Amino acid sequence: MGLKIIIVGGGIAGLAAAIALRKGDREITILEQSSISQEIGATISLQPNASKIVEGQWGLASTLRDRGSMVDGAFEVYNLDGEMQIRIPLQTTDKYGAERMMYHRADLHQTLKERATSEKFPGRPATLKTSSRVSTCDCDSGTVQLVNGEVLSADLIVGADGIKSVIRRCVLGEEAIARPTGLSAYRMMIPTDNLLKETDFTKVIDPRKGCTTMVIGRDRRLIMGPARNGSIYSIVALVPDENMNEDSANTSWTTEGNHDKMMNTFADFPSWARKPLQLAMASELGLWQLRDLDPLPTWYSGRAILIGDAAHAMLPTQGQGASQSIEDAEALGAFFNAFEESSDMSLSSIADVNNAIFKCRYDRATTIQAYSRQAAKPATEPGDRKVNMNPAEFMDYNCSYSGAIDWKRRQEAVA
Ligand SMILES: Cc1cc2nc3c(=O)[nH]c(=O)nc-3n(C[C@H](O)[C@H](O)[C@H](O)COP(=O)(O)OP(=O)(O)OC[C@H]3O[C@@H](n4cnc5c(N)ncnc54)[C@H](O)[C@@H]3O)c2cc1C
Ligand SMILES: *[C@@H]1O[C@H](CO)[C@@H](O)[C@H](O)[C@H]1NC(C)=O
Ligand SMILES: *[C@@H]1O[C@H](CO)[C@@H](O)[C@H](O)[C@H]1NC(C)=O
Ligand SMILES: *[C@@H]1O[C@H](CO)[C@@H](O)[C@H](O)[C@H]1NC(C)=O
Ligand SMILES: *[C@@H]1O[C@H](CO)[C@@H](O)[C@H](O)[C@H]1NC(C)=O
């Protein structure tokens, strides 16, 4: 008899959990509220250790390559005068055994979805049920209820339902509200061909090359990079929150961005750096309020455990949100790996494994979460045009992660 598993949420964390847990005749059901399980645009990067899990351990390198995955070769920071302040080469294979990778979000999501649900891979395929919004969960009995009243049960419930998680409320017994962080992000993608015509931009940056560029001025910054073999260029523009709604119970955290207002906000940025913003379609400009969570007291209760943004939503300043979700998923797979051989499916034995996963993952994810919040602080003083920040704040933070079991061994060695 294999474990019966329900995963709530079909985002990157939920799909990754299905892949990591998929084994033998385990019955895995992913419940996704939206009608089509699909990710929206923008580039997403995975740090070397997470890319190694996805590309190596799960065997997805060639599929992702076909879809246009790119190695992130360097990280460059420019100041308001357009001068390069910091350049960190990111050839990380020697040091960390893998590269920092850039994907189109939709490509990564699609690839994970196939790996979780296709017959082609070992273990019974996971079933993805769309239009299935979970309204509540009983952590001890292992049941979830859908908004249509349907009740499903399993030995293990994985709450991968994102920053507004319903399972989190059930695990904690109370609401943990995601906090506005004072930052919002415009997100846009443009065809690289359009940018190649802008010679003042291409004199500074080759938008086809795998490289992350950041331009910083006080409390605003541009983070730019290519996706899909350099055919598209993605830009995230971080700005202080202005009139996004401050009501933390409000579920709408996105609004249409105003193109003129955005250009105004970046008026004193170098003119080459403003080019991609100018080329962005006003009609496709989204503005997202960025929220994160304070560290939670726990991630599990009984048969239910939280992973990904549901457990530790963090700011995108370190590009670690997806990587930490992948590491959580890998931990689920590792700790439940031999479960059927050694244990029964009782509440206490499942809760023991959940506890072990929580103990293994909590410090690392919480530290990276705090770090991401800290890195959002203005990087230049008012009136100062030079960037004063430690490059180590951006990169290299604990990339030396060899999976959950190894991490546990290292924790024990320190203790
Ligand atoms: C502007 C921005 C830029 C980012 N850039 C990066 C980056 O470069 N690198 C990086 O690593 N990370 C980045 N992130 C973070 C990253 O996107 C997330 O951390 C990562 O995708 C993990 O998300 P998740 O799967 O836990 O949650 P989500 O992606 O939110 O997925 C949750 C899923 O659960 C579903 N769901 C929710 N509630 C229910 C319910 N009650 N019932 C059923 N289904 C439900 C949702 O529909 C959704 O599909 C960025 C985030 C933002 C906002
Ligand atoms: C990306 O480049 C690789 C290697 O050149 C190629 O195999 C793949 O088809 C390309 N994919 C896309 C989407 O451009
Ligand atoms: C959320 O905020 C938007 C924009 O301010 C507003 O139009 C909407 O009514 C609010 N929704 C709720 C549920 O408060
Ligand atoms: C993680 O990084 C921090 C800060 O650099 C360091 O103190 C710590 O030792 C690292 N942990 C491991 C296990 O490498
Ligand atoms: C993570 O990086 C370390 C090197 O620091 C490497 O030894 C290890 O294999 C990597 N782990 C994974 C899971 O990729």
Side-chain angles (χ1 to χ4, degrees):
M1 266 293 285
L3 269 178
K4 201 173 163 193
I5 301 161
I6 288 175
I7 297 171
V8 183
I12 287 169
L15 295 173
I19 296 168
L21 287 164
R22 185 176 170 173
K23 190 184 181 210
D25 67 346
R26 285 181 182 172
E27 185 189 317
I28 303 177
T29 307
I30 305 166
L31 302 172
E32 167 57 44
Q33 65 183 359
S34 63
S35 54
I36 37 157
S37 166
Q38 216 168 15
E39 283 274 325
I40 44 150
T43 300
I44 195 155
S45 47
L46 288 187
Q47 308 301 327
N49 279 108
S51 74
K52 198 168 173 193
I53 294 168
V54 170
E55 299 212 337
Q57 199 173 327
W58 297 344
L60 298 174
S62 72
T63 309
L64 288 163
R65 189 70 208 93
D66 289 346
R67 291 181 168 153
S69 69
M70 300 179 73
V71 171
D72 196 353
F75 183 76
E76 295 177 351
V77 181
Y78 293 83
N79 66 17
L80 281 181
D81 295 325
E83 297 160 348
M84 193 194 291
Q85 301 270 284
I86 299 162
R87 182 173 201 281
I88 309 170
L90 299 177
Q91 273 73 39
T92 51
T93 298
D94 291 350
K95 209 163 153 204
Y96 304 125
E99 295 292 342
R100 182 174 199 259
M101 298 301 296
M102 306 160 105
Y103 312 101
H104 191 295
R105 266 181 95 93
D107 297 341
L108 177 62
H109 190 263
Q110 179 64 25
T111 304
L112 294 175
K113 184 160 68 179
E114 288 164 7
R115 180 66 178 77
T117 60
S118 158
E119 298 277 355
K120 284 191 307 206
F121 301 97
R124 192 205 293 203
T127 306
L128 174 63
K129 288 192 178 175
T130 52
S131 302
S132 302
R133 179 169 165 79
V134 170
S135 56
T136 184
C137 161
D138 184 316
C139 301
D140 284 354
S141 65
T143 54
V144 297
Q145 184 167 2
L146 304 189
V147 287
N148 68 10
E150 197 181 337
V151 175
L152 303 170
S153 64
D155 302 306
L156 172 66
I157 311 281
V158 179
D161 49 348
I163 192 166
K164 297 172 200 164
S165 172
V166 164
I167 305 300
R168 186 169 67 229
R169 187 193 336 119
C170 306
V171 164
L172 299 178
E174 61 180 358
E175 207 63 70
I177 303 274
R179 306 197 322 172
T181 55
L183 283 178
S184 287
Y186 293 100
R187 300 172 86 177
M188 58 219 110
M189 293 196 111
I190 55 178
T192 304
D193 282 346
N194 297 358
L195 199 50
L196 286 174
K197 294 179 197 136
E198 306 290 341
T199 48
D200 54 342
F201 184 85
T202 54
K203 255 187 268 166
V204 186
I205 286 158
D206 181 348
R208 293 162 300 192
K209 248 179 48 189
C211 172
T212 300
T213 302
M214 190 182 279
V215 188
I216 300 187
R218 292 184 282 282
D219 51 3
R220 292 149 300 142
R221 62 187 78 172
L222 298 175
I223 305 149
M224 312 187 274
R228 282 210 185 123
N229 286 352
S231 64
I232 45 187
Y233 202 63
S234 143
I235 307 108
V236 174
L238 293 186
V239 298
D241 263 352
E242 289 170 51
N243 304 319
M244 298 293 293
N245 62 71
E246 294 291 328
D247 170 8
S248 56
N250 196 317
T251 54
S252 168
W253 301 349
T254 60
T255 61
E256 253 170 62
N258 178 320
H259 196 264
D260 290 340
K261 195 166 164 191
M262 176 176 76
M263 293 315 299
N264 248 349
T265 307
F266 290 94
D268 62 346
F269 273 50
S271 69
W272 61 264
R274 289 160 40 86
K275 275 285 143 48
L277 301 182
Q278 266 154 15
L279 293 173
M281 297 275 289
S283 58
E284 289 169 13
L285 189 62
L287 180 61
W288 304 55
Q289 191 184 43
L290 299 181
R291 302 197 180 192
D292 71 359
L293 287 169
D294 288 325
L296 303 180
T298 184
W299 293 353
Y300 79 99
S301 169
R303 295 182 181 276
I305 184 159
L306 305 172
I307 65 166
D309 283 5
H312 45 63
M314 57 185 73
L315 285 174
T317 49
Q318 299 280 311
Q320 275 276 11
S323 298
Q324 289 309 304
S325 301
I326 303 280
E327 289 184 8
D328 290 344
E330 190 273 344
L332 279 172
F335 281 88
F336 277 104
N337 182 40
F339 189 80
E340 283 91 346
E341 292 153 36
S342 56
S343 310
D344 55 290
M345 309 283 168
S346 70
L347 171 61
S348 66
S349 50
I350 298 269
D352 283 350
V353 181
N354 284 342
N355 178 47
I357 295 168
F358 169 66
K359 281 206 169 126
C360 173
R361 292 287 308 146
Y362 184 76
D363 281 353
R364 176 171 165 83
T366 302
T367 306
I368 291 173
Q369 182 189 36
Y371 219 58
S372 300
R373 194 182 270 184
Q374 190 195 312
K377 297 221 177 91
T380 52
E381 301 298 326
D384 180 4
R385 300 178 72 82
K386 303 280 180 248
V387 180
N388 50 49
M389 60 175 18
N390 175 0
E393 282 178 2
F394 288 106
M395 272 309 302
D396 244 28
Y397 176 71
N398 284 343
C399 287
S400 60
Y401 183 80
S402 302
I405 299 296
D406 174 71
W407 189 261
K408 179 164 177 262
R409 231 175 268 133
R410 282 157 65 179
Q411 284 177 326
E412 283 161 1
V414 174

